[in-house]
Amino acid sequence: MAEASGDTSTLRVTVKKKKSLSIEEKIDIINAVESGKKKAEIAAEYGIKKNSLSSIMKNKDKVLEAFESLRFDPKRKRLRTAFYTDLEEALMRWYRIAQCLNVPVNGPMLRLKANDFAQKLGHNDFKCSNGWLDRFKSRYGLVFRAQPVEATGIAVDPSTVWQQNVLPYYLNDYHPKNVFNIKETGLLYRMLPTNTFAFKGETCSIGKLCKDRITLVVGANMDGSEKLPLLIIGKNRNPHCFKGIKSLPVYYEANRMAWMTSDIFDQWMRKLDEKFQAQQRRVVIFVDSFPAHPDVKNLKSIELAFFPSCLSSKFIAMKQGVIQSLKIRYRHCLIKKFLSSVEGSKEFTFSLIDAIDTLHLCWRAVTPETIAKSYEEAGFKSQKEESDQTNAETDTGLDLVPHAQAAGVEFPEGLSVEEYAALDDGLETCEAVPDGDSVWTKESKSDETGFYASDEEDDGGSLGTELPLPSKNEAIAALDTLKNFLRSQDINDGLHNSLADIEIFINSLSSK
């Protein structure tokens, strides 16, 4: 019996322990197999069996995803994920951004941030214990060391660090069609060229020009294939020109300063989140780090990426040509409407609803090429090479100058269309700190009528000349006139279909 026991002991000693490979080694094996090397030679080189090699190749996509996404330390030997995957991804993204910006991170800081993310993501049962933190650090290969002192004394440019390290991290996770940027811009929606010199130097926080301002929020995706509906923020929740109107082609909000607030931003992000959820998409939206841009909780389809406050505006895609293109087109339309009034010896009126319709029209006309080029100018480099597009939109309004002069309208000498379009770019568009007094609320609605000189000035017209809403029969007659005109033109099937859709909608309405 003793001899048999000795044989068993010897047998245990000679059993070969199964070898565990790191992610890095598995990547090398995958590359070797795909290069044509014999599997038997590869298995012998790494000391594994052929069926283990086959298992690695079977799970090739998972191994490559773990390596390329940087979610796992390459030296790790297992791909087992945590229960709170979304929390860990958010925490690692925060940690890498802190690293890139040379912000030292230690265990207590990481624990506080983990609990913060857990609350925002709705993981109310999560507690960042020492054990969880140790396992998290092990999963991602985190080792906290003292920050090295720069021997050269050369300061690191945060913009360069962000562009080279942080931005690619997002672009690797999202397809260009799912990468968005939004940006606010002020707009004096009735400002004609003859008023521009009077405006120079004014802040437009008070005074006559103040009531003519709105904040316009522009957003589009990286490849130019999708423009978000415009968000327009005015001063009056229910201006007189909105009477009888039940729908608008834009999102419209209001507060006393006509600027973005944290409440408006929160509500708008939730509307967009519902839209992307319905499309079963996951997107990232780049926004400025302002108090008016809070980190909205519990978004299902949107990840908000905040530009560091120290970042130059040259990295904001919407400011590299998109907003300029929209404003140039808008000013062009405004001047044409003004000249039409002058030539017809009519009083020029241009209400907020006219501005909204004109902005919607001009926003649709901004080209995908202009948007894609603006992203490239901002350093958002897509995987595929884009052809170099020439943007000729800046010349849109130049031909109006001689037309205006012929009508007897004087333009300021030397004023370029680019300068005209950019004069209101410096307007404040966001609240500096959350301030409930500046936000329009139901309680403050009763006070808003005293905020303007008059309702007539707010609407850009006279209350006494209000036109009644057209009847259904008048709408059908107007549509017939439009169809007769368009039939004399060479139009595509899309316009014919749009006309048919409009006629079907009008006919479905009850007569009024």
Side-chain angles (χ1 to χ4, degrees):
M1 293 294 292
E3 186 177 350
S5 176
D7 291 342
T8 304
S9 176
T10 303
L11 181 62
R12 288 200 194 101
V13 171
T14 56
V15 169
K16 191 173 181 180
K17 187 178 180 181
K18 183 179 178 181
K19 183 174 181 180
S20 295
L21 299 173
S22 68
I23 298 174
E24 206 167 37
E25 289 173 319
K26 291 177 182 178
I27 292 292
D28 291 337
I29 289 173
I30 291 170
N31 290 335
V33 171
E34 292 184 342
S35 68
K37 192 173 181 179
K38 292 182 178 180
K39 292 184 179 180
E41 295 178 3
I42 298 171
E45 180 182 346
Y46 286 90
I48 59 175
K49 296 180 179 180
K50 287 185 178 180
N51 60 350
S52 296
L53 189 149
S54 298
S55 178
I56 292 171
M57 296 306 296
K58 182 179 179 181
N59 294 289
K60 178 181 72 171
D61 291 340
K62 291 183 179 180
V63 175
L64 291 173
E65 192 275 335
F67 183 76
E68 292 173 357
S69 69
L70 303 179
R71 286 175 52 210
F72 296 91
D73 176 19
K75 303 297 183 184
R76 281 188 61 193
K77 296 183 178 182
R78 302 186 70 180
L79 299 184
R80 184 168 55 192
T81 57
F83 181 72
Y84 301 102
T85 306
D86 54 349
L87 188 153
E88 293 205 358
E89 288 180 353
L91 191 59
M92 272 307 298
R93 182 156 294 179
W94 173 84
Y95 174 76
R96 292 187 188 280
I97 291 174
Q99 273 191 316
C100 291
L101 298 178
N102 290 329
V103 176
V105 177
N106 55 29
M109 286 177 62
L110 206 62
R111 184 179 291 109
L112 284 173
K113 203 64 188 176
N115 287 327
D116 180 47
F117 279 128
Q119 183 180 7
K120 291 178 178 178
L121 293 169
H123 299 310
N124 298 324
D125 57 340
F126 173 84
K127 297 295 180 185
C128 186
S129 63
N130 289 332
W132 183 91
L133 187 61
D134 289 340
R135 291 190 296 274
F136 173 79
K137 288 160 61 178
S138 175
R139 275 193 288 273
Y140 292 90
L142 303 186
V143 180
F144 299 132
R145 301 184 179 91
Q147 294 291 313
V149 179
E150 293 288 343
T152 61
I154 300 174
V156 178
D157 179 16
S159 296
T160 302
V161 173
W162 185 87
Q163 185 181 26
Q164 293 178 353
N165 297 280
V166 180
L167 180 59
Y169 188 82
Y170 288 101
L171 298 186
N172 286 338
D173 278 1
Y174 292 92
H175 189 276
K177 72 177 182 180
N178 293 325
V179 176
F180 288 81
N181 170 226
I182 63 171
K183 180 62 181 174
E184 295 90 349
T185 184
L187 180 68
L188 295 169
Y189 64 90
R190 284 202 291 259
M191 184 177 67
L192 293 164
T194 50
N195 305 129
T196 55
F197 285 163
F199 168 71
K200 282 190 175 182
E202 287 198 26
T203 62
C204 194
S205 58
I206 56 174
K208 183 174 176 59
L209 286 174
C210 184
K211 66 179 177 298
D212 289 341
R213 70 149 294 166
I214 56 175
T215 289
L216 182 64
V217 190
V218 179
N221 65 353
M222 185 173 162
D223 63 8
S225 62
E226 183 176 357
K227 288 174 275 194
L228 297 177
L230 294 175
L231 170 60
I232 294 176
I233 307 170
K235 286 177 169 290
N236 196 333
R237 169 63 64 179
N238 294 302
H240 191 76
C241 62
F242 280 15
K243 185 176 181 181
I245 291 178
K246 296 182 179 179
S247 65
L248 293 170
V250 301
Y251 292 134
Y252 181 79
E253 297 290 345
N255 59 67
R256 290 182 173 277
M257 301 302 291
W259 61 15
M260 176 66 81
T261 67
S262 55
D263 286 342
I264 291 176
F265 183 81
D266 185 290
Q267 293 168 17
W268 189 40
M269 284 300 109
R270 295 190 189 282
K271 286 180 182 177
L272 293 178
D273 193 53
E274 291 176 2
K275 168 191 169 184
F276 290 123
Q277 280 186 69
Q279 297 173 353
Q280 297 184 331
R281 292 168 64 187
R282 177 77 179 164
V283 306
V284 60
I285 300 180
F286 287 86
V287 297
D288 293 303
S289 295
F290 292 154
H293 296 163
D295 189 5
V296 183
K297 297 178 182 179
N298 301 322
L299 294 176
K300 300 293 192 303
S301 291
I302 292 176
E303 177 179 3
L304 290 174
F306 295 94
F307 292 119
S309 56
C310 60
L311 204 66
S312 167
S313 62
K314 70 179 182 181
F315 294 101
I316 301 173
M318 295 299 100
K319 293 195 71 173
Q320 308 312 309
V322 177
I323 289 176
Q324 182 192 47
S325 174
L326 173 60
K327 282 192 171 184
I328 287 175
R329 290 179 179 276
Y330 177 82
R331 303 288 193 210
H332 181 262
C333 290
L334 180 63
I335 296 171
K336 284 182 68 176
K337 290 179 183 293
F338 176 64
L339 294 179
S340 177
S341 296
V342 172
E343 291 170 344
S345 300
K346 298 177 182 177
E347 180 186 0
F348 175 64
T349 60
F350 195 76
S351 69
L352 180 57
I353 196 66
D354 294 324
I356 288 174
D357 287 339
T358 303
L359 283 166
H360 177 63
L361 177 70
C362 295
W363 183 224
R364 285 179 59 86
V366 174
T367 65
E369 292 77 16
T370 295
I371 296 170
K373 185 175 180 180
S374 296
Y375 270 96
E376 290 180 4
E377 292 291 328
F380 288 68
K381 302 297 182 184
S382 59
Q383 298 300 317
K384 61 179 182 178
E385 291 294 327
E386 300 286 349
S387 58
D388 188 21
Q389 299 286 340
T390 301
N391 183 6
E393 293 179 280
T394 54
D395 293 330
T396 305
L398 294 179
D399 60 331
L400 283 178
V401 176
H403 183 188
Q405 291 172 341
V409 177
E410 293 186 4
F411 272 54
E413 185 178 354
L415 179 69
S416 69
V417 69
E418 293 88 355
E419 291 173 327
Y420 176 38
L423 275 172
D424 44 18
D425 283 352
L427 296 179
E428 291 293 334
T429 57
C430 294
E431 62 179 351
V433 293
D435 182 2
D437 292 338
S438 68
V439 181
W440 183 92
T441 61
K442 290 183 179 179
E443 288 76 12
S444 65
K445 184 176 179 181
S446 60
D447 298 331
E448 67 187 14
T449 54
F451 188 68
Y452 304 103
S454 70
D455 285 339
E456 291 89 337
E457 287 183 333
D458 175 43
D459 287 351
S462 170
L463 293 178
T465 59
E466 178 187 353
L467 295 176
L469 291 176
S471 66
K472 177 179 177 179
N473 289 336
E474 288 172 329
I476 292 173
L479 183 60
D480 287 339
T481 301
L482 179 60
K483 285 194 295 185
N484 287 334
F485 171 75
L486 291 177
R487 284 176 186 140
S488 67
Q489 310 297 317
D490 185 14
I491 64 173
N492 57 33
D493 291 340
L495 279 178
H496 284 298
N497 292 335
S498 297
L499 284 171
D501 289 339
I502 293 172
E503 186 167 5
I504 291 170
F505 173 75
I506 292 175
N507 288 331
S508 68
L509 300 176
S510 58
S511 298
K512 291 183 181 180

